[in-house]
């Protein structure tokens, strides 16, 4: 199925008008929680597993605590079976790597205050271990939905390339900022927020991908 640039703009407008949630993108209740949530997601981790891991860490009292948690504290939670919204128990992927990154971020967040400006906050986030352009943009989009940033994940990259918005030679690892500039202009020209367009493409493309996975596929 071919989706034109106009198709995605129309879908974004439809979804934006139907969504009445106050904070449709946020995982947590603060910037600190959002950073932890986004660090626990990313490549190889489904949205459902990301949510389950974040809630496990938060409910264990490891995000807001008097003593900064160690990587071992966080690892202990991530190594437990996690329950998805469907009720299925699964194991978290990359627990050692993610535990170290979350613990490092929480330690640093006790010492530093983030910039109030969303784009400056993204620059600051890029200096954290394990946070690249996509994750930094994800945090900023979730906390500042009006910011003109784009989360160029595989779904957005493929959709925008297929409909001719992105150059076919571009890749997120080499051309992230060029992609973002074009994406933001695409959203602006269509009269929707970059956040709404990004979320629409992700929701539709990720939903199709989940439906293609056989029911007996291991998490």
């Amino acid at each position: 199925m071919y989706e034109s640039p106009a198709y995605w703009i129309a879908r974004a407008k439809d979804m934006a008008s139907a969504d009445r949630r106050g904070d449709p993108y946020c995982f947590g209740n603060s910037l600190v929680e959002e950073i932890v949530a986004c660090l626990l997601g990313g490549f190889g981790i489904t949205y459902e597993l990301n949510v389950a891991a974040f809630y496990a860490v938060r409910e264990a009292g490891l995000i807001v605590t008097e003593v900064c948690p160690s990587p071992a504290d966080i690892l202990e939670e991530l190594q437990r079976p996690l329950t998805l919204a469907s009720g299925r128990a699964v194991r978290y992927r990359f627990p050692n790597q993610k535990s170290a990154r979350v613990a490092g971020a929480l330690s640093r967040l006790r010492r530093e205050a983030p910039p109030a400006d969303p784009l400056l906050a993204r620059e600051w986030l890029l200096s954290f271990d394990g946070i690249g352009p996509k994750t930094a943009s994800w945090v900023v989009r979730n906390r500042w939905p009006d910011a003109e940033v784009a989360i160029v994940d595989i779904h957005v990259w493929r959709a925008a390339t297929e409909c001719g918005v992105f150059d076919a030679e571009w890749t997120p690892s080499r051309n992230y900022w060029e992609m973002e500039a074009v994406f933001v202009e695409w959203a602006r020209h269509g009269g929707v927020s970059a956040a709404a367009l990004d979320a629409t493409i992700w929701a539709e493309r990720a939903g199709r991908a989940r439906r293609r996975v056989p029911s007996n596929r291991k998490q």
Side-chain angles (χ1 to χ4, degrees), residues 158-180:
R158 286 177 175 171
T161 301
E162 288 168 11
C163 70
V165 171
F166 288 169
D167 189 306
E169 300 298 317
W170 285 352
T171 65
S173 61
R174 294 196 306 266
N175 308 100
Y176 194 96
W177 306 118
E178 293 98 319
M179 289 179 166
E180 180 180 77

Side-chain angles (χ1 to χ4, degrees), residues 22 30 40 46 51 55 60-61 71-72 76 97 115 132 156 176 179 210 219:
S30 67
L40 289 169
T46 64
V51 171
Y55 281 123
E76 183 178 356
Q97 178 195 72
V156 169
Y176 194 96
M179 289 179 166
R210 284 194 294 271
Q219 178 69 46

Side-chain angles (χ1 to χ4, degrees), residues 19-211:
D19 199 333
R20 293 290 180 265
R21 291 172 294 171
D23 292 307
Y25 310 116
C26 289
F27 281 91
N29 299 316
S30 67
L31 178 60
V32 173
E33 289 191 351
E34 212 66 39
I35 292 169
V36 171
C38 294
L39 273 170
L40 289 169
F43 178 77
I45 298 172
T46 64
Y47 173 77
E48 293 80 7
L49 184 56
N50 187 180
V51 171
F54 167 65
Y55 281 123
V57 171
R58 185 169 74 173
E59 289 169 9
L62 295 174
I63 299 177
V64 179
T65 178
E66 290 185 6
V67 178
C68 192
S70 68
D73 294 328
I74 298 166
L75 179 62
E76 183 178 356
E77 292 304 317
L78 294 182
Q79 286 183 325
R80 302 179 194 275
L82 300 173
T83 303
L84 303 184
S86 64
R88 187 162 63 99
V90 298
R91 292 286 182 178
Y92 183 72
R93 301 187 70 184
F94 320 120
N96 291 286
Q97 178 195 72
K98 296 290 190 173
S99 295
R101 290 177 174 177
V102 169
L106 287 172
S107 176
R108 185 169 167 184
L109 287 162
R110 285 171 175 259
R111 305 188 306 269
E112 299 178 27
D117 177 83
L119 296 183
L120 292 178
R122 182 169 65 174
E123 288 184 24
W124 174 71
L125 287 167
L126 287 169
S127 66
F128 281 63
D129 182 37
I131 295 185
K134 185 180 77 173
T135 302
S137 299
W138 189 12
V139 173
V140 168
R141 191 284 307 270
N142 288 5
R143 298 307 303 179
W144 291 277
D146 293 330
E148 292 191 320
V149 301
I151 309 166
V152 185
D153 68 355
I154 192 164
H155 301 296
V156 169
W157 175 31
R158 286 177 175 171
T161 301
E162 288 168 11
C163 70
V165 171
F166 288 169
D167 189 306
E169 300 298 317
W170 285 352
T171 65
S173 61
R174 294 196 306 266
N175 308 100
Y176 194 96
W177 306 118
E178 293 98 319
M179 289 179 166
E180 180 180 77
V182 170
F183 188 93
V184 167
E185 183 56 34
W186 178 21
R188 188 184 296 134
H189 181 75
V192 298
S193 69
L197 182 58
D198 176 287
T200 297
I201 295 172
W202 179 85
E204 193 159 317
R205 285 301 188 97
R208 290 181 204 170
R210 284 194 294 271
R211 288 193 291 273

